[in-house]
Amino acid sequence: MKRFPKDLVINLFILILSIFLLIIVSNYPTMARSFPQLVLILVVILSLADMVYKSLRGDKMEISQGKDEQKREERRVFYTVFLMFGYMVFILLLGFILGTLLFLIFSTWSLGYKKIKGLVISSLCSAGLMYIIFILIMKSFLPESLLFSLLRR
Amino acid sequence: MPGFETWIDAANIVLQWQNLLLIFGVTILGLIIGFLPGIGPLNALPLIIPLTFGMSPGIALIVLGILYNSTVYGGSISAILLNTPGTSASAATCFDGYPMARKGRGGEAIGISMMSSFIGGIVGLAGLIFLSPVISEVALKFQPAEYFMIAVLGLVLISASAKGSMFKASISGALGILTSCVGMDIMTGQPRFTFGTHYLQGGIPFISLIIGLFAFSEVFFLIKQKEGTISEKGTLSGRIVDGLKEPFRHLKTLARGALVGLGIGIIPGEGATVANVTAYLMEVRASKHPEAFGTGIPEGVIAPETSNNACVFGTLIPTLTIGIPGGGVAAIFLGGVMIHGLNPGLELFSRNKDVLYTLFFGLVVSHILIFLCGTILSKYISKVTIIPVNILVPPIIALGITSTYLMRSNIIDVAVAIISGLIGYFMRKYGYSLIPFLVGFILAPIAERSFFQALLIADGSYWTFVLRPISGILFFSIILIVALPPVLKRVRRR
């Protein structure tokens, strides 16, 4: 995989974003805009300098890994992000305890740990420990089940 | 200084078995809370204050002091083992502590952290007990111009942490500054970069950002390997005992870290987070091998760990002597002092001497206890680095998400943490270090506020930054830091 074009794309992205923010900032009162304006100008200069520096140096291309492998890795990352958002929904719908337990079991299994006994024990231990710390010791207010409260009504 | 009798009276109170038991219990609680990412002393202290109402003022203040100190200790353990600073005061500990854990030296890194924190704390305590009346007079002379210069000094030191491209490190620092600009402008009340949303008016929550950037981005990197353990070797080769000896081989680093921590703690408004990061950056600057930082070297753990615990007690100096909190947690501590009917300042040092010295004695006893408990418990806690990644990652995610949610019971904070994690992942992947980003984010509000305040005081004259004695010294120090390395390089070449 060639590294330089990706760096160029990122620098271009930062450059466009900075110019866009500079336009937004220009509408603020003088006192509110001067500090971010100064920093944004600095970002524009730095990203341009990085691009020029790399093109002058004729950056050596870097072979890192296969495209398929990289795609697979990124898919795993986005899957984890999806799991995280899923956990948010879980605790809102099912409440903290049940939501956490289900999330732990499901995510451990989907991340490749298939031994049922170990999976259940580790999930129960983690959820139990979190319950003791957050609810019994710290007396925190964690979300109650939205689903159960609807059913109760 | 009070007579010997005052100390004996203080010892009589603190060494009662009920109080010792209480100190032990709070120590363990603080270590656990500190270990949990995102909770930290800032959230733990308000929860504990109501429980101290039935206690005598001296013991109540000891409880708050212990909780503050032990959470900072505990925060380092998760910073080292999980790359997740349990408290923001351990943010810079991740930079070298976690790479040490990855090399299978997690136990050793914790030993280093425990001993450095212990020594830093002893220096901080000595400062609190012996120097507080003298140093508080200097701190009183600090005005916005000096605060601005200190913030700029920190921002300049960002360049020292640059690994790889200097441009990328500087861009990362600038992006950190811009992120801190999101929300209401402190001087004018003008919403900045909020895009019309109500949520962003309060700014990006620090805990969401830090959990996302460090904990979640690390989770994404761990997920990539799918199998294996945090310790790449799969075993813990480093012994805690070896780590306990290591700081004594780096006495200069210890001294620098302790002095930076104590100094920053004394300056009102700065806190252990700034001390932790500044000490790390100063160590990089002072080192003969700055390129080795970030790869897992003991100095990278010693400097930030010595400084944050020295800073914990340093922040109590202006809090107790002039009633100006040395940091966010110290502000809550100050609230605790006042709730118990005590007035900081001269009155505390003259009329309530017994309470004050009970607090000092209690802090000394608890500091030793925290060190012992921390060292013994970490041996077992460090075993998390040899748990398979696919078992370890889900509880880290659950812990991070729950901790973030607990901050304000706002589910959007969790979404911000997840998005920050994704941004952190891509930044790290494409060589944009997170260290300058974090430093920029922490120091930018101090720099901006102080800059405008200094100008207002000086009727718009920029000379205030150079002509005021302390500010002037800081200004020329910054110039020296920027100009000296290239000059020295040229001289050496010749």
Side-chain angles (χ1 to χ4, degrees), chain B residues 107 189 232 417:
Chain B
E232 280 164 350

Side-chain angles (χ1 to χ4, degrees), chain A residues 3 6-7 10-11 14 20-21 24-25 28-29 31-32 34-36 39-40 42-43 46-47 49-50 53-54 70 73-74 76-78 80-81 84-85 87-88 91-92 96 100 103-104 107-108 111-113 122 126 130 133-134 137-138 140-143, chain B residues 29 32-33 36 39 47 165 167-168 170-171 174 177-178 181 185 187-188 190-193 195 216 219-220 223-226 390-391 393-395 397-399 401-403 405-406 409 411 414-415 418-419 422 425-426 429-432 444 447-448 452 456:
Chain A
R3 186 73 177 265
K6 277 213 169 166
D7 272 348
I10 293 165
N11 270 324
I14 292 171
F20 170 69
L21 292 176
I24 292 177
V25 157
Y28 298 160
M31 239 180 148
S34 48
F35 189 72
V39 180
L40 281 165
L42 189 73
V43 176
L46 284 168
S47 49
D50 195 30
Y53 175 72
K54 276 183 181 143
Q70 206 190 18
E73 279 181 4
E74 271 175 12
R76 242 178 271 162
V77 169
F78 283 108
T80 315
V81 172
M84 286 167 144
F85 280 110
Y87 178 50
M88 272 170 63
I91 52 174
L92 285 177
F96 173 69
T100 302
F103 165 76
L104 288 172
S107 53
T108 310
L111 289 174
Y113 192 84
S122 70
S126 305
M130 284 175 72
I133 293 165
F134 288 121
I137 298 177
M138 298 194 66
S140 311
F141 293 102
L142 285 158
Chain B
L29 181 71
I32 294 170
I33 290 175
L36 302 173
I39 300 177
L47 292 171
S165 165
F167 291 119
K168 282 184 174 177
S170 308
I171 289 172
I177 297 173
L178 284 171
C181 288
D185 172 34
M187 298 303 287
T188 60
Q190 162 78 34
R192 294 188 300 199
F193 307 126
F195 305 101
F216 291 164
V219 159
F220 299 144
I223 260 4
K224 275 171 43 175
Q225 70 185 58
K226 204 170 180 184
N390 42 22
I391 288 189
V393 159
I397 295 175
L399 203 62
I401 287 180
T402 312
S403 305
Y405 178 80
L406 274 180
S409 300
I411 205 80
V414 180
I418 298 171
I419 294 164
L422 211 53
Y425 167 77
F426 282 111
K429 192 176 173 184
Y430 293 111
Y432 291 85
E448 188 181 8
F452 285 116
L456 282 173

Side-chain angles (χ1 to χ4, degrees), chain B residues 412-478:
Chain B
I412 306 174
D413 287 351
V414 180
V416 169
I418 298 171
I419 294 164
S420 304
L422 211 53
I423 293 170
Y425 167 77
F426 282 111
M427 281 179 72
R428 284 171 64 181
K429 192 176 173 184
Y430 293 111
Y432 291 85
S433 169
L434 296 178
I435 306 170
F437 186 95
L438 184 70
V439 178
F441 187 84
I442 292 170
L443 293 182
I446 304 168
E448 188 181 8
R449 187 181 54 233
S450 312
F451 178 72
F452 285 116
Q453 283 175 344
L455 281 182
L456 282 173
I457 292 170
D459 286 330
S461 166
Y462 288 94
W463 287 108
T464 185
F465 298 108
V466 187
L467 295 179
R468 287 181 57 81
I470 302 171
S471 176
I473 291 169
L474 290 168
F475 176 77
F476 287 109
S477 310
I478 292 166

